[in-house]
Amino acid sequence: MVKIQQTEIIIFFHTRKEPFAHNATVLRRLPIIANKKLNYSQLNIGFGLPNHIWIKEWKNSKFCLVIRGDTPTSHSFYNSIMSGCIPILVSDGFKYVGL
């Protein structure tokens, strides 16, 4: 609880600019499009960061968007849990693996 209270970023999500397989590209671009309209200072949403900054910002976030990639689960899900960032899952196939 202390970690959540001390974090500065409400939502974190970064993705790569290259296309994804299995129709995941559109899903992964939606937060970026929405953020351009919202432009809140407490959101860290965009394209690619250097790895060391990405890890630091992820650890400094309350919630992390975990948008499916090639499979319903992803390394982002497990990384968010390990860093203390509450994952927000966006996956149309998670029900098959998350139960």
Side-chain angles (χ1 to χ4, degrees):
M1 192 63 179
V2 172
K3 188 264 183 195
I4 294 296
Q5 292 170 340
Q6 293 176 347
T7 55
E8 298 173 8
I9 301 167
I10 295 174
I11 295 177
F12 179 86
F13 176 74
H14 277 258
T15 190
R16 65 180 190 233
K17 289 188 176 184
E18 298 82 23
F20 290 86
H22 307 285
N23 299 319
T25 303
V26 173
L27 265 176
R28 288 176 176 249
R29 299 294 188 268
L30 288 176
I32 295 167
I33 294 166
N35 187 44
K36 286 181 181 178
K37 294 179 182 181
L38 297 173
N39 201 23
Y40 290 116
S41 62
Q42 291 180 307
L43 302 180
N44 189 336
I45 297 175
F47 286 111
L49 293 172
N51 196 40
H52 69 283
I53 295 173
W54 183 79
I55 292 168
K56 178 184 169 202
E57 294 296 295
W58 203 341
K59 289 181 178 181
N60 191 31
S61 301
K62 294 181 191 328
F63 302 97
C64 296
L65 293 179
V66 177
I67 298 177
R68 74 155 173 94
D70 300 340
T71 63
T73 59
S74 69
H75 67 278
S76 297
F77 174 70
Y78 301 106
N79 287 341
S80 68
I81 291 172
M82 288 189 302
S83 68
C85 186
I86 300 168
I88 299 173
L89 302 174
V90 181
S91 175
D92 53 357
F94 192 75
K95 61 186 174 189
Y96 301 113
V97 295
L99 298 177

